[in-house]
Amino acid sequence: MNKAEPEIPVESGSPFLKGIVIGSLLGAAAALLFAPKPGREVRGALSDKFSAATDKTKEVAGIVTDTAISIATAAQEKAADLAGNVSAKASDIFTAVSDSKQQIAATLSDSGTAIAETVSDAADDVASIVKDASKEAADQA
C-alpha cells in the first residue's frame, strides 16, 4: 500500500451503486448489440432488459420510500416524546421552586414572629427591671 492510497477517499453508497447499475446496463446493451442475433431479437431482448431494470428501479424506490416514511415517523414520535419529557421536567422544576419559595416565606414569617415575641418579652423584662430599680431608688432617697 503506497502513501497516496489513504489520502484518496473511497466513495460508497449512492454514487457507487449508480455507477454499477449504469455500467451493467451499458454492458448488457453492448453485449446484446454485438451478439450474432437478428435485429428483431436484439430489440426484443433490449426491451425485456429495460423493462426488468425499470421494474427493479420501481421496486427499490418503493422500498426506499417506505423506509424513509418509517424513519420519519419514528423520528417524529421520538421528538414528541422528548418534547413531552422536557415539558414535564420543566413543570416539575417550576413546582419545586414555587414550593421552596413558599416554604422560605413561611419560615421567614415564623422567624419574624418569634423574634417579635422575644423582643416584646425582653422589653417587658427591661421595663419591669427599670420599674423595680426606679422604685428602689425612690425608696432609698
Side-chain angles (χ1 to χ4, degrees):
M1 193 158 100
N2 65 31
K3 293 181 181 179
E5 285 181 309
E7 296 174 8
I8 299 172
V10 177
E11 291 188 22
S12 63
S14 184
F16 183 71
L17 291 176
K18 286 180 186 176
I20 288 177
V21 170
I22 292 171
S24 298
L25 291 175
L26 290 176
L32 290 174
L33 288 174
F34 292 112
K37 292 183 181 179
R40 183 173 296 222
E41 288 180 24
V42 171
R43 286 191 301 273
L46 280 175
S47 176
D48 292 343
K49 296 289 183 181
F50 183 72
S51 294
T54 302
D55 292 343
K56 186 66 175 174
T57 302
K58 288 178 183 178
E59 179 184 334
V60 170
I63 292 170
V64 169
T65 301
D66 293 343
T67 304
I69 289 171
S70 71
I71 289 171
T73 302
Q76 184 179 14
E77 290 171 358
K78 293 285 183 182
D81 290 345
L82 182 60
N85 287 340
V86 168
S87 177
K89 294 296 181 185
S91 177
D92 291 346
I93 290 170
F94 178 77
T95 302
V97 168
S98 178
D99 291 347
S100 295
K101 182 178 106 175
Q102 290 174 353
Q103 289 175 349
I104 290 170
T107 302
L108 288 175
S109 176
D110 292 345
S111 296
T113 303
I115 290 171
E117 289 175 1
T118 303
V119 168
S120 176
D121 291 344
D124 290 343
D125 291 343
V126 169
S128 175
I129 291 171
V130 168
K131 188 177 183 183
D132 291 342
S134 167
K135 193 177 191 182
E136 283 180 29
D139 287 342
Q140 289 180 355

